[in-house]
Amino acid sequence: MNYEQESIKPYNGGDKGKQVEQMFDNIAPTYDQLNHRLSWNIDRGWRRTAVEQLRPYRPQQVLDVATGTGDFAILTASMLRPKRLLGVDISEGMMEIGRQKVSQQGLDDIITFAREDCMALSLPDNEYDAVTSAFGIRNFPDLDKGLAEMCRVLKPGGHLSIVELTTPVSFPMKQLFGIYSHTVLPLYGRLVSKDASAYHYLTRTIEAFPQGEQMIQILRQAGFREAAFRRLTFGICTLYTATK
């Protein structure tokens, strides 16, 4: 099935996957700073909530998809202490920053990174106890294929935890978020990252991305069960959980 955000690209023309890789390589040096400032550091709490719900399952083998600069991977390793955590992404620029942060925090024995096409992971079936992703799946050029890959590499009975930016559905947060995302976010993104297109793109994908019950149906179609969602901070972010 085709979804609206799959046709949205950061730049004009060309393959979306390659454009997303270029975009994240471009904004990698300022990505963490912008993420935390633009969310008033609330994004840290969203990640913590997503990791916390995995704690009862004590996953030992974890895969973090679209890992970016590794914030979710580092938090997961720090909170859950799995034996192994692999972070995968198409952007080497983002992961290089992640490697530096992992080394600084002394987590090299747990966390490794690998460049992977999340639409076609070169990883074995039924390998991981948990698969996670934070703010990355809406950039997939093929959402169904990417989620099916996440399901494939997850062990039967394994757990999925995704946090993704969404649009609030209730007044007045829906209106306030619309104003913020169309004015403050792209302006600040242009000033700090020097890539105006990137932050216009990110705003458009938030608005176009399936959310709530629609996303639950997509997860089920990808092979997951017990799929559920929980809106965080008035619906600015949504936590999706499921099992294989």
Side-chain angles (χ1 to χ4, degrees), residues 51 71-82 85 107 110-111:
V51 175
D71 274 359
F72 203 8
I74 291 168
L75 185 63
T76 301
S78 300
M79 289 177 63
L80 304 184
R81 305 304 297 188
L85 193 155
L107 293 169
I110 297 176
I111 301 174

Side-chain angles (χ1 to χ4, degrees), residues 84-227:
R84 181 172 70 101
L85 193 155
L86 175 64
V88 298
D89 203 286
I90 59 170
S91 170
E92 279 289 356
M94 297 283 276
M95 287 190 293
E96 185 53 39
I97 292 172
R99 291 184 184 100
Q100 294 170 17
K101 293 194 295 187
V102 165
S103 182
Q104 290 167 4
Q105 299 200 26
L107 293 169
D108 304 81
D109 58 329
I110 297 176
I111 301 174
T112 56
F113 294 94
R115 187 186 183 282
E116 288 276 350
D117 177 358
C118 296
M119 306 303 99
L121 297 168
S122 63
L123 303 172
D125 296 353
N126 309 317
E127 179 80 0
Y128 295 93
D129 302 306
V131 175
T132 63
S133 186
F135 317 120
I137 65 170
R138 75 179 189 281
N139 298 306
F140 286 179
D142 189 322
L143 180 60
D144 289 332
K145 190 178 291 185
L147 290 173
E149 280 292 274
M150 294 167 79
C151 187
R152 178 184 66 79
V153 301
L154 194 61
K155 292 178 181 177
H159 297 273
L160 177 76
S161 183
I162 292 173
V163 280
E164 188 54 83
L165 293 170
T166 46
T167 52
V169 295
S170 301
F171 178 86
M173 283 305 298
K174 180 178 181 179
Q175 288 73 18
L176 291 172
F177 183 76
I179 294 169
Y180 179 77
S181 64
H182 283 276
T183 56
V184 177
L185 194 154
L187 174 61
Y188 195 68
R190 182 175 75 248
L191 292 174
V192 175
S193 75
K194 312 302 181 187
D195 190 333
S197 297
Y199 286 87
H200 280 293
Y201 160 81
L202 292 171
T203 297
R204 292 171 64 204
T205 57
I206 294 169
E207 294 174 339
F209 191 73
Q211 58 181 321
E213 290 293 347
Q214 184 183 3
M215 185 63 182
I216 295 303
Q217 292 302 317
I218 293 169
L219 287 169
R220 289 173 180 156
Q221 291 166 13
F224 293 100
R225 59 183 176 83
E226 298 175 9

Side-chain angles (χ1 to χ4, degrees), residues 18-37:
K18 291 179 180 178
Q19 287 195 26
V20 168
E21 178 182 3
Q22 177 189 345
M23 178 192 74
F24 280 113
D25 282 344
N26 289 345
I27 66 175
T30 57
Y31 182 78
D32 285 340
Q33 175 189 354
L34 276 167
N35 252 13
H36 301 322
R37 288 189 178 181

Side-chain angles (χ1 to χ4, degrees), residues 54-62 76 80-83 129-130:
L54 289 173
R55 190 185 294 279
Y57 311 116
R58 299 180 179 179
Q60 296 302 301
Q61 306 289 331
V62 179
T76 301
L80 304 184
R81 305 304 297 188
K83 291 181 179 177
D129 302 306

